[in-house]
Amino acid sequence: MTDIRTDWTREEIAELFNLPFTELLFRAATLHREFHPADQVQLCTLLSIKTGGCPEDCGYCSQSVKADSGVEATKLMEVQSVLQRAAQAKDAGSQRFCMGAAWRNPKDRDMPAIVEIVKGVRAMGLETCMTLGMLTPKQADMLKEAGLDYYNHNVDTGPEYYERVISSRKYEDRLDTLQNVRDAGINVCSGGIVGMGETRSDRVGFVHTLATLERHPESVPVNALVPVKGTVLGDMLADTPLAKIDDIEFVRTVAAARITMPMSMVRLSAGRESMSEATQALCFLAGANSIFTGDKLLTAPNAGDDTDAALFAKLGLTALQQEEPMRACKVAEPAE
């Protein structure tokens, strides 16, 4: 079996990006089949449980108070309302229910409700994932005790490009939260966004950051920027050649993530609604094996259940039912 490496160099990852496209896809597809069922894709549902009003200045985000995007700030949803949406997601075939709150970090007063939500969703038999911003070690421990399966905290991009996108927190702050989550024993979900005007070198840096963590993230979402009017990047990239990343380059990024992190779930995330069926098929061939279902991702549009069902039927794909490889491996590890 292929060894799982965490010592990738940037030069090695750059060499992957530079491979002839068909060779890159062949290598990615071969590794994918070693660790994952080739014809199964995990279905996840994402719900915004607290929208807008975030004090961060992330240039891509319509929920930032710095953005003039028309997104209205809301309070945290009631626990029962979240559970109703989770039940609908399970009925639609989702395996994982992901919940996002537009916070820089949760306040201690928010945690009791968050804990109840996690417990309630888990009781339905769904995997739980949350993204609430930065976490303290104490908050991470509370989420672990509640039974949270995954915590999402994206690094967004490579370290060199990061400050051109966000100034309200440092790259190291994101890595610190990932470490707090890992120390608490929660599975990590961390990826980023491509198509923000970055170079290939920045995409290499993004993959390198995740592939050299002490333990790879169990889930790696790869997003294509959805340029939203009123956001810094949406306005800057509108009507320019940079407004949409080249499809082949996007697939290369997915393939590089799969090769460097072969056991991780690689999620084809935001931006998928504007991709052709052929591009999505190439992403699945390159090792993407997780998607968000439904017609909305937080505040961005998504492909929709009916569209996804038709695509899956055309490609011969089915919904993943089994345990993800990294989680199964973790459960099988002997206690220290």
Side-chain angles (χ1 to χ4, degrees):
M1 180 172 285
T2 301
D3 291 334
I4 305 301
R5 294 178 51 193
T6 57
D7 61 348
W8 291 91
T9 67
R10 290 181 69 127
E11 291 73 23
E12 287 176 311
I13 297 173
E15 288 173 1
L16 292 177
F17 270 89
N18 289 332
L19 284 171
F21 187 64
T22 53
E23 175 64 20
L24 176 61
L25 259 60
F26 176 77
R27 293 191 191 184
T30 301
L31 265 178
H32 181 70
R33 281 157 175 73
E34 183 176 340
F35 293 96
H36 307 268
D39 59 350
Q40 295 183 30
V41 175
Q42 182 187 56
L43 303 183
C44 309
T45 298
L46 177 61
L47 174 68
S48 178
I49 60 174
K50 191 277 172 192
T51 303
C54 181
E56 301 274 23
D57 65 356
C58 306
Y60 52 79
C61 187
S62 62
Q63 300 194 67
S64 168
V65 294
K66 309 294 184 183
D68 185 20
S69 60
V71 174
E72 294 184 8
T74 66
K75 295 181 179 180
L76 182 66
M77 288 176 64
E78 296 293 332
V79 174
Q80 194 57 42
S81 296
V82 177
L83 298 185
Q84 288 173 353
R85 296 290 293 274
Q88 293 169 1
K90 184 176 182 181
D91 289 343
S94 281
Q95 183 184 52
R96 187 184 303 181
F97 193 64
C98 306
M99 296 155 278
W103 287 323
R104 175 178 169 82
N105 51 276
K107 304 294 189 294
D108 288 341
R109 66 173 181 269
D110 301 313
M111 293 305 295
I114 293 295
V115 165
E116 288 306 306
I117 289 171
V118 172
K119 289 180 177 179
V121 175
R122 280 206 90 215
M124 296 179 188
L126 284 165
E127 292 181 359
T128 53
C129 181
M130 283 199 161
T131 178
L132 313 170
M134 294 184 289
L135 288 183
T136 65
K138 178 182 177 182
Q139 290 170 333
D141 288 340
M142 291 177 68
L143 291 173
K144 172 61 178 178
E145 187 174 347
L148 185 68
D149 296 293
Y150 286 84
Y151 193 80
N152 167 259
H153 199 62
N154 292 336
V155 296
D156 285 342
T157 187
E160 292 82 11
Y161 196 70
Y162 183 83
E163 64 182 18
R164 297 184 60 181
V165 179
I166 302 161
S167 67
S168 52
R169 72 171 91 166
K170 301 294 185 184
Y171 205 69
E172 291 73 20
D173 293 331
R174 293 190 179 269
L175 297 177
D176 287 346
T177 287
L178 292 180
Q179 190 60 54
N180 291 339
V181 169
R182 186 62 83 194
D183 289 345
I186 301 171
N187 295 298
V188 168
C189 174
S190 187
I193 307 170
V194 296
M196 296 192 293
E198 79 283 350
T199 64
R200 176 178 285 186
S201 177
D202 296 316
R203 290 187 281 277
V204 168
F206 153 60
V207 173
H208 179 260
T209 295
L210 300 176
T212 55
L213 292 174
E214 186 175 349
R215 179 180 171 92
H216 295 157
E218 281 76 5
S219 288
V220 179
V222 182
N223 301 270
L225 177 70
V226 179
V228 178
K229 185 178 180 180
T231 63
V232 173
L233 287 175
D235 291 344
M236 182 178 75
L237 300 178
D239 302 320
T240 73
L242 294 174
K244 184 179 185 300
I245 188 170
D246 175 77
D247 288 343
I248 298 299
E249 186 68 14
F250 184 86
V251 177
R252 284 184 181 276
T253 307
V254 170
R258 168 53 66 219
I259 292 171
T260 56
M261 295 171 278
M263 290 183 71
S264 301
M265 303 298 291
V266 177
R267 183 177 302 126
L268 187 56
S269 298
R272 191 167 62 86
E273 84 291 340
S274 63
M275 294 179 189
S276 69
E277 290 184 338
T279 297
Q280 293 183 65
L282 285 173
C283 287
F284 294 134
L285 179 61
N289 61 340
S290 179
I291 63 169
F292 281 124
T293 61
D295 58 6
K296 196 173 185 180
L297 299 181
L298 296 180
T299 61
N302 195 38
D305 293 337
D306 292 343
T307 302
D308 289 336
L311 178 62
F312 273 37
K314 185 177 291 188
L315 299 180
L317 299 174
T318 58
L320 179 70
Q321 300 295 329
Q322 65 193 56
E323 187 86 278
E324 302 98 322
M326 284 190 72
R327 289 193 67 192
C329 177
K330 190 174 183 180
V331 169
E333 288 175 356
E336 292 181 1

Coordinates of all heavy atoms in Angstrom, one line a residue, residues 174-250:
R174 N -5.2 30.6 11.9 CA -5.9 29.5 11.3 C -5.3 28.1 11.7 O -6.0 27.2 12.0 CB -6.1 29.6 9.8 CG -6.9 30.8 9.4 CD -7.2 30.8 7.9 NE -8.1 32.0 7.6 CZ -9.4 31.9 7.5 NH1 -10.0 30.8 7.8 NH2 -10.1 33.0 7.2
L175 N -4.0 28.1 11.6 CA -3.3 26.9 11.9 C -3.4 26.5 13.4 O -3.5 25.4 13.8 CB -1.8 27.0 11.5 CG -1.5 27.2 10.0 CD1 0.0 27.3 9.8 CD2 -2.1 26.0 9.2
D176 N -3.5 27.6 14.2 CA -3.6 27.4 15.7 C -5.0 26.7 16.0 O -5.1 25.8 16.8 CB -3.5 28.7 16.5 CG -2.1 29.2 16.5 OD1 -1.2 28.4 16.2 OD2 -1.9 30.4 16.9
T177 N -6.0 27.2 15.3 CA -7.4 26.6 15.5 C -7.4 25.2 15.0 O -7.9 24.3 15.7 CB -8.5 27.4 14.7 OG1 -8.7 28.7 15.4 CG2 -9.8 26.7 14.7
L178 N -6.7 24.9 13.9 CA -6.7 23.5 13.4 C -6.0 22.6 14.5 O -6.4 21.5 14.7 CB -5.9 23.4 12.1 CG -6.6 24.0 10.9 CD1 -5.8 23.9 9.6 CD2 -8.0 23.4 10.7
Q179 N -5.0 23.2 15.1 CA -4.2 22.4 16.1 C -5.1 22.2 17.4 O -5.1 21.1 18.0 CB -2.9 23.1 16.5 CG -2.0 22.2 17.4 CD -1.6 20.9 16.7 OE1 -1.1 20.9 15.6 NE2 -1.9 19.8 17.4
N180 N -5.9 23.2 17.8 CA -6.8 23.1 18.9 C -7.8 22.0 18.6 O -8.2 21.2 19.5 CB -7.5 24.4 19.2 CG -6.5 25.4 19.8 OD1 -5.4 25.1 20.3 ND2 -6.9 26.7 19.7
V181 N -8.3 22.0 17.4 CA -9.3 21.0 17.0 C -8.7 19.6 17.0 O -9.3 18.6 17.6 CB -9.9 21.3 15.6 CG1 -10.7 20.1 15.0 CG2 -10.7 22.6 15.6
R182 N -7.5 19.4 16.5 CA -6.8 18.2 16.5 C -6.5 17.7 17.9 O -6.7 16.5 18.2 CB -5.6 18.3 15.6 CG -4.8 17.0 15.4 CD -5.7 16.0 14.6 NE -5.6 16.2 13.2 CZ -6.4 15.6 12.3 NH1 -7.4 14.8 12.8 NH2 -6.4 15.8 11.1
D183 N -6.1 18.6 18.7 CA -5.7 18.2 20.1 C -6.9 17.8 20.9 O -6.8 16.9 21.8 CB -5.1 19.4 20.8 CG -3.7 19.8 20.3 OD1 -3.1 18.9 19.7 OD2 -3.2 20.9 20.6
A184 N -8.1 18.3 20.5 CA -9.3 17.9 21.2 C -9.8 16.5 20.7 O -10.7 15.9 21.3 CB -10.4 18.9 21.0
G185 N -9.3 16.0 19.6 CA -9.7 14.7 19.1 C -10.8 14.8 18.1 O -11.4 13.8 17.8
I186 N -11.0 16.0 17.5 CA -12.1 16.1 16.5 C -11.4 16.0 15.1 O -10.3 16.5 14.9 CB -12.7 17.5 16.7 CG1 -13.4 17.7 18.0 CG2 -13.8 17.7 15.6 CD1 -13.9 19.1 18.3
N187 N -12.1 15.4 14.2 CA -11.6 15.3 12.8 C -11.5 16.7 12.2 O -12.4 17.5 12.4 CB -12.5 14.4 12.0 CG -12.5 13.0 12.5 OD1 -11.4 12.3 12.5 ND2 -13.6 12.5 13.0
V188 N -10.5 16.9 11.4 CA -10.3 18.2 10.8 C -10.8 18.2 9.3 O -10.6 17.3 8.6 CB -8.8 18.5 10.8 CG1 -8.5 19.7 9.9 CG2 -8.3 18.8 12.2
C189 N -11.5 19.3 9.0 CA -11.9 19.6 7.7 C -11.3 21.0 7.3 O -11.6 22.0 7.9 CB -13.5 19.7 7.6 SG -14.1 20.2 6.0
S190 N -10.4 20.9 6.3 CA -9.7 22.2 6.0 C -9.3 22.2 4.5 O -8.7 21.2 4.0 CB -8.5 22.4 6.9 OG -7.9 23.7 6.6
G191 N -9.6 23.2 3.8 CA -9.3 23.4 2.4 C -9.1 24.8 2.1 O -8.6 25.6 2.9
G192 N -9.6 25.2 0.9 CA -9.4 26.6 0.5 C -10.2 26.9 -0.7 O -11.0 26.2 -1.2
I193 N -9.9 28.1 -1.3 CA -10.5 28.7 -2.4 C -9.5 29.0 -3.5 O -8.5 29.6 -3.2 CB -11.3 30.0 -2.1 CG1 -12.2 29.8 -0.8 CG2 -12.1 30.5 -3.2 CD1 -12.7 31.0 -0.3
V194 N -9.8 28.6 -4.7 CA -8.9 28.9 -5.8 C -9.7 29.8 -6.8 O -10.9 29.8 -6.8 CB -8.4 27.6 -6.6 CG1 -7.6 26.8 -5.7 CG2 -9.6 26.8 -7.1
G195 N -9.0 30.6 -7.6 CA -9.6 31.5 -8.5 C -9.8 32.9 -7.8 O -10.6 33.7 -8.3
M196 N -9.0 33.2 -6.8 CA -9.0 34.5 -6.2 C -8.0 35.5 -6.7 O -7.7 36.5 -6.1 CB -8.8 34.4 -4.7 CG -9.9 33.6 -4.0 SD -9.9 33.7 -2.2 CE -8.3 32.8 -1.8
G197 N -7.4 35.1 -7.9 CA -6.4 36.0 -8.5 C -5.0 35.5 -8.1 O -4.0 36.1 -8.5
E198 N -4.9 34.3 -7.4 CA -3.6 33.8 -7.0 C -2.9 33.1 -8.2 O -3.5 32.9 -9.3 CB -3.8 32.8 -5.9 CG -4.3 31.4 -6.3 CD -5.8 31.3 -6.6 OE1 -6.5 32.3 -6.4 OE2 -6.2 30.3 -7.2
T199 N -1.7 32.9 -8.1 CA -0.9 32.2 -9.1 C -0.8 30.7 -8.8 O -1.3 30.2 -7.7 CB 0.6 32.7 -9.1 OG1 1.2 32.4 -7.8 CG2 0.6 34.2 -9.3
R200 N -0.3 29.9 -9.8 CA -0.1 28.5 -9.5 C 0.8 28.3 -8.3 O 0.5 27.4 -7.5 CB 0.4 27.8 -10.7 CG 0.7 26.3 -10.4 CD 1.2 25.6 -11.6 NE 0.1 25.3 -12.6 CZ 0.3 24.6 -13.7 NH1 1.5 24.0 -14.0 NH2 -0.7 24.3 -14.5
S201 N 1.8 29.1 -8.1 CA 2.7 28.9 -7.0 C 1.9 29.1 -5.7 O 2.2 28.3 -4.7 CB 3.8 30.0 -7.0 OG 4.6 29.9 -5.9
D202 N 0.9 29.9 -5.6 CA 0.1 30.1 -4.4 C -0.8 28.8 -4.2 O -1.0 28.4 -3.1 CB -0.8 31.3 -4.6 CG -0.1 32.6 -4.6 OD1 0.9 32.7 -3.8 OD2 -0.4 33.5 -5.4
R203 N -1.2 28.2 -5.3 CA -2.0 27.0 -5.2 C -1.1 25.9 -4.7 O -1.6 25.0 -3.9 CB -2.7 26.6 -6.5 CG -3.8 27.6 -6.9 CD -4.6 27.2 -8.1 NE -3.9 27.5 -9.4 CZ -4.0 28.7 -10.0 NH1 -4.6 29.7 -9.4 NH2 -3.4 28.9 -11.1
V204 N 0.1 25.9 -5.2 CA 1.1 24.9 -4.6 C 1.2 25.1 -3.1 O 1.2 24.1 -2.4 CB 2.4 25.0 -5.4 CG1 3.5 24.2 -4.6 CG2 2.3 24.6 -6.8
G205 N 1.4 26.3 -2.7 CA 1.5 26.6 -1.3 C 0.3 26.2 -0.5 O 0.4 25.7 0.7
F206 N -0.9 26.4 -1.0 CA -2.1 25.9 -0.4 C -2.1 24.4 -0.1 O -2.4 24.0 1.0 CB -3.3 26.4 -1.2 CG -4.6 25.6 -1.1 CD1 -5.2 25.5 0.1 CD2 -5.1 25.0 -2.2 CE1 -6.4 24.7 0.2 CE2 -6.3 24.2 -2.1 CZ -6.9 24.1 -0.9
V207 N -1.8 23.7 -1.2 CA -1.8 22.2 -1.0 C -0.7 21.8 -0.1 O -0.9 20.9 0.8 CB -1.6 21.5 -2.4 CG1 -1.4 20.0 -2.3 CG2 -2.8 21.8 -3.3
H208 N 0.4 22.4 -0.2 CA 1.6 22.1 0.6 C 1.3 22.3 2.1 O 1.7 21.5 3.0 CB 2.8 23.0 0.2 CG 4.0 22.8 1.1 ND1 4.4 23.6 2.1 CD2 5.0 21.8 1.0 CE1 5.5 23.1 2.6 NE2 5.9 22.0 2.0
T209 N 0.6 23.4 2.5 CA 0.2 23.6 3.9 C -0.5 22.5 4.5 O -0.2 22.0 5.6 CB -0.6 24.9 4.0 OG1 0.2 26.0 3.6 CG2 -1.1 25.1 5.4
L210 N -1.5 22.0 3.7 CA -2.4 20.9 4.2 C -1.7 19.5 4.2 O -1.8 18.7 5.1 CB -3.7 20.8 3.4 CG -4.5 22.1 3.5 CD1 -5.7 22.0 2.6 CD2 -5.0 22.4 4.9
A211 N -0.9 19.3 3.1 CA -0.2 18.0 3.0 C 0.9 17.8 3.9 O 1.4 16.7 4.0 CB 0.2 17.9 1.5
T212 N 1.4 18.9 4.6 CA 2.5 18.7 5.5 C 2.1 18.9 7.0 O 2.9 19.0 7.9 CB 3.6 19.7 5.2 OG1 3.0 21.1 5.2 CG2 4.2 19.4 3.9
L213 N 0.8 19.0 7.2 CA 0.3 18.9 8.6 C 0.7 17.6 9.2 O 0.8 16.6 8.5 CB -1.2 19.1 8.7 CG -1.8 20.5 8.3 CD1 -3.3 20.5 8.3 CD2 -1.2 21.6 9.3
E214 N 0.8 17.5 10.5 CA 1.2 16.3 11.2 C 0.3 15.1 10.8 O 0.7 14.0 10.7 CB 1.2 16.5 12.7 CG 1.8 15.3 13.5 CD 1.9 15.6 15.0 OE1 1.8 16.8 15.4 OE2 2.2 14.6 15.7
R215 N -1.0 15.4 10.7 CA -2.0 14.5 10.2 C -2.8 15.2 9.2 O -3.3 16.3 9.4 CB -2.9 13.9 11.3 CG -3.9 12.9 10.9 CD -4.8 12.5 12.0 NE -5.9 11.7 11.6 CZ -6.0 10.4 11.5 NH1 -4.9 9.7 11.7 NH2 -7.1 9.7 11.1
H216 N -3.0 14.6 8.0 CA -3.7 15.3 7.0 C -5.2 15.5 7.4 O -5.7 14.7 8.2 CB -3.8 14.4 5.7 CG -2.5 14.2 5.0 ND1 -2.2 13.2 4.2 CD2 -1.3 15.0 5.1 CE1 -1.0 13.3 3.8 NE2 -0.4 14.3 4.3
P217 N -5.8 16.6 6.9 CA -7.2 16.8 7.3 C -8.0 15.6 6.7 O -7.8 15.1 5.7 CB -7.6 18.0 6.5 CG -6.3 18.8 6.2 CD -5.3 17.7 6.1
E218 N -9.0 15.2 7.5 CA -9.9 14.1 7.1 C -10.7 14.5 5.9 O -11.0 13.7 5.0 CB -10.8 13.6 8.2 CG -10.1 12.7 9.2 CD -9.2 13.4 10.2 OE1 -9.1 14.7 10.2 OE2 -8.6 12.7 11.0
S219 N -11.0 15.8 5.8 CA -11.7 16.3 4.6 C -11.0 17.6 4.1 O -10.6 18.4 4.9 CB -13.2 16.7 5.0 OG -14.0 15.6 5.2
V220 N -10.9 17.6 2.8 CA -10.3 18.8 2.1 C -11.2 19.4 1.1 O -11.3 18.9 -0.1 CB -8.9 18.3 1.5 CG1 -8.2 19.5 0.8 CG2 -8.0 17.7 2.5
P221 N -12.0 20.4 1.4 CA -12.8 21.1 0.5 C -12.0 22.0 -0.5 O -11.2 22.7 0.0 CB -13.8 21.9 1.3 CG -13.1 22.1 2.6 CD -12.2 20.9 2.8
V222 N -12.3 21.8 -1.8 CA -11.6 22.7 -2.8 C -12.7 23.5 -3.4 O -13.6 23.0 -4.1 CB -10.9 21.9 -3.8 CG1 -10.2 22.8 -4.8 CG2 -9.8 21.0 -3.2
N223 N -12.7 24.8 -3.2 CA -13.7 25.7 -3.6 C -13.2 26.5 -4.8 O -12.1 26.9 -4.8 CB -14.1 26.7 -2.5 CG -14.7 26.0 -1.3 OD1 -15.9 25.8 -1.2 ND2 -13.8 25.7 -0.3
A224 N -14.1 26.8 -5.8 CA -13.8 27.8 -6.8 C -14.5 29.1 -6.4 O -15.7 29.0 -6.0 CB -14.3 27.3 -8.2
L225 N -13.8 30.2 -6.4 CA -14.4 31.4 -6.0 C -15.7 31.7 -6.7 O -15.8 31.6 -8.0 CB -13.4 32.6 -6.2 CG -14.0 34.0 -5.8 CD1 -14.1 34.1 -4.3 CD2 -13.1 35.1 -6.4
V226 N -16.7 32.1 -6.0 CA -18.0 32.6 -6.5 C -17.9 34.1 -6.3 O -18.1 34.6 -5.2 CB -19.2 32.0 -5.8 CG1 -20.5 32.6 -6.4 CG2 -19.2 30.5 -5.9
P227 N -17.6 34.9 -7.4 CA -17.4 36.3 -7.2 C -18.8 37.0 -6.9 O -19.6 37.0 -7.7 CB -16.8 36.8 -8.5 CG -16.4 35.6 -9.2 CD -17.3 34.5 -8.7
V228 N -18.9 37.5 -5.7 CA -20.1 38.1 -5.2 C -20.0 39.7 -5.3 O -19.1 40.2 -4.7 CB -20.5 37.7 -3.8 CG1 -21.8 38.4 -3.3 CG2 -20.7 36.2 -3.7
K229 N -20.9 40.3 -6.0 CA -20.9 41.8 -6.1 C -21.0 42.4 -4.7 O -21.8 42.0 -3.9 CB -22.1 42.2 -6.9 CG -22.1 43.7 -7.2 CD -23.2 44.2 -8.1 CE -23.2 45.7 -8.3 NZ -24.3 46.1 -9.2
G230 N -20.1 43.3 -4.4 CA -20.1 44.0 -3.1 C -19.0 43.5 -2.2 O -18.7 44.1 -1.2
T231 N -18.4 42.3 -2.6 CA -17.2 41.9 -1.9 C -16.0 42.4 -2.5 O -16.0 42.8 -3.7 CB -17.1 40.3 -1.8 OG1 -17.0 39.8 -3.2 CG2 -18.4 39.7 -1.2
V232 N -14.9 42.5 -1.8 CA -13.6 43.0 -2.4 C -13.2 42.2 -3.6 O -13.0 42.8 -4.7 CB -12.5 43.0 -1.3 CG1 -11.2 43.4 -1.9 CG2 -12.8 43.9 -0.1
L233 N -13.2 40.9 -3.5 CA -12.7 40.1 -4.6 C -13.8 40.1 -5.7 O -13.4 40.0 -6.9 CB -12.4 38.7 -4.2 CG -11.1 38.6 -3.4 CD1 -10.9 37.1 -2.9 CD2 -9.9 39.0 -4.2
G234 N -15.0 40.0 -5.4 CA -16.1 40.0 -6.4 C -16.1 41.2 -7.2 O -16.2 41.2 -8.5
D235 N -15.8 42.4 -6.6 CA -15.8 43.7 -7.4 C -14.4 43.8 -8.2 O -14.4 44.3 -9.3 CB -15.9 44.9 -6.5 CG -17.3 45.0 -5.9 OD1 -18.2 44.3 -6.4 OD2 -17.5 45.7 -4.9
M236 N -13.4 43.3 -7.6 CA -12.1 43.4 -8.2 C -11.9 42.5 -9.4 O -11.3 42.9 -10.4 CB -11.0 43.0 -7.2 CG -9.5 43.2 -7.7 SD -8.3 42.8 -6.5 CE -8.4 41.0 -6.4
L237 N -12.5 41.3 -9.4 CA -12.4 40.3 -10.4 C -13.5 40.3 -11.4 O -13.4 39.7 -12.5 CB -12.2 38.9 -9.8 CG -11.1 38.7 -8.9 CD1 -11.1 37.3 -8.3 CD2 -9.7 39.0 -9.6
A238 N -14.5 41.1 -11.2 CA -15.7 41.1 -12.1 C -15.3 41.6 -13.5 O -14.5 42.5 -13.7 CB -16.8 42.1 -11.5
D239 N -15.8 40.8 -14.5 CA -15.5 41.2 -15.9 C -14.1 41.2 -16.3 O -13.6 41.9 -17.2 CB -16.2 42.5 -16.2 CG -17.6 42.5 -15.9 OD1 -18.3 41.5 -16.2 OD2 -18.1 43.6 -15.4
T240 N -13.2 40.4 -15.5 CA -11.8 40.2 -15.9 C -11.6 38.8 -16.2 O -12.3 37.9 -15.9 CB -10.9 40.6 -14.7 OG1 -11.0 39.6 -13.7 CG2 -11.3 42.0 -14.2
P241 N -10.5 38.5 -16.9 CA -10.1 37.1 -17.2 C -9.9 36.2 -15.9 O -10.0 35.0 -16.0 CB -8.8 37.2 -18.0 CG -8.9 38.5 -18.6 CD -9.5 39.4 -17.6
L242 N -9.7 36.9 -14.8 CA -9.5 36.2 -13.5 C -10.7 35.8 -12.8 O -10.7 35.2 -11.8 CB -8.6 37.0 -12.6 CG -7.2 37.3 -13.0 CD1 -6.5 38.3 -12.1 CD2 -6.4 36.0 -13.1
A243 N -11.9 36.3 -13.4 CA -13.2 36.1 -12.7 C -13.5 34.6 -12.6 O -14.3 34.2 -11.7 CB -14.3 36.8 -13.4
K244 N -12.9 33.7 -13.4 CA -13.2 32.3 -13.3 C -11.9 31.5 -13.5 O -11.3 31.8 -14.6 CB -14.3 31.9 -14.3 CG -14.7 30.4 -14.2 CD -15.8 30.1 -15.2 CE -16.3 28.7 -15.0 NZ -15.3 27.7 -15.2
I245 N -11.6 30.7 -12.6 CA -10.3 29.9 -12.8 C -10.5 28.9 -14.0 O -11.6 28.4 -14.2 CB -10.0 29.1 -11.5 CG1 -8.6 28.5 -11.7 CG2 -11.0 28.1 -11.2 CD1 -8.0 27.9 -10.4
D246 N -9.5 28.7 -14.7 CA -9.5 27.8 -15.8 C -9.9 26.4 -15.3 O -9.4 25.9 -14.3 CB -8.1 27.7 -16.5 CG -8.0 26.7 -17.5 OD1 -8.5 27.0 -18.7 OD2 -7.4 25.6 -17.3
D247 N -10.8 25.7 -16.0 CA -11.3 24.4 -15.6 C -10.2 23.4 -15.4 O -10.2 22.7 -14.4 CB -12.3 23.9 -16.5 CG -13.7 24.7 -16.5 OD1 -13.9 25.4 -15.5 OD2 -14.5 24.6 -17.4
I248 N -9.3 23.4 -16.3 CA -8.2 22.4 -16.3 C -7.3 22.7 -15.1 O -6.9 21.7 -14.4 CB -7.3 22.4 -17.6 CG1 -8.2 22.0 -18.8 CG2 -6.2 21.5 -17.5 CD1 -8.8 20.6 -18.7
E249 N -7.0 23.9 -14.8 CA -6.2 24.3 -13.6 C -6.9 23.9 -12.3 O -6.3 23.4 -11.4 CB -5.9 25.8 -13.6 CG -4.9 26.2 -12.5 CD -3.5 25.7 -12.7 OE1 -3.2 25.2 -13.8 OE2 -2.7 25.8 -11.7
F250 N -8.2 24.0 -12.3 CA -9.0 23.6 -11.1 C -8.9 22.1 -10.9 O -8.6 21.6 -9.8 CB -10.5 24.0 -11.3 CG -11.3 23.7 -10.0 CD1 -11.4 24.6 -9.0 CD2 -12.0 22.5 -9.9 CE1 -12.1 24.4 -7.9 CE2 -12.7 22.2 -8.8 CZ -12.8 23.2 -7.8

